[in-house]
Amino acid sequence: MSGIPADTYNYYLSVQRYYDTENSIFAEPAPLRSNVPGGYGLFAGASDVVLRIPL
C-alpha cells in the first residue's frame, strides 16, 4: 500500500494540466500549485507499507 498527502496529489495534477495546455494556442496556461509559502514547488514525502496477511 502506498500513500501520498493531498497536497502532493494536487501538485501532480496541476503539473499534468500545465503540460496538457502547454502547446495549445487556445488554452490559457494552467497555474501550478505549491505548498511552499512565497515559493514554487512542493515539499512532500511518501511512504510504502507492506502488510502480510497469513492465509
Side-chain angles (χ1 to χ4, degrees):
M1 178 180 356
S2 297
I4 58 173
D7 284 338
T8 306
Y9 179 76
N10 291 331
Y11 172 76
Y12 285 120
L13 279 181
S14 72
V15 168
Q16 184 62 45
R17 280 189 215 114
Y18 176 82
Y19 285 122
D20 287 345
T21 61
E22 186 176 32
N23 294 322
S24 175
I25 60 171
F26 300 109
E28 294 183 16
L32 290 173
R33 291 191 177 253
S34 174
N35 68 352
V36 180
Y40 297 102
L42 176 75
F43 183 79
S47 64
D48 289 328
V49 175
V50 176
L51 301 174
R52 293 181 188 242
I53 302 172
L55 299 176

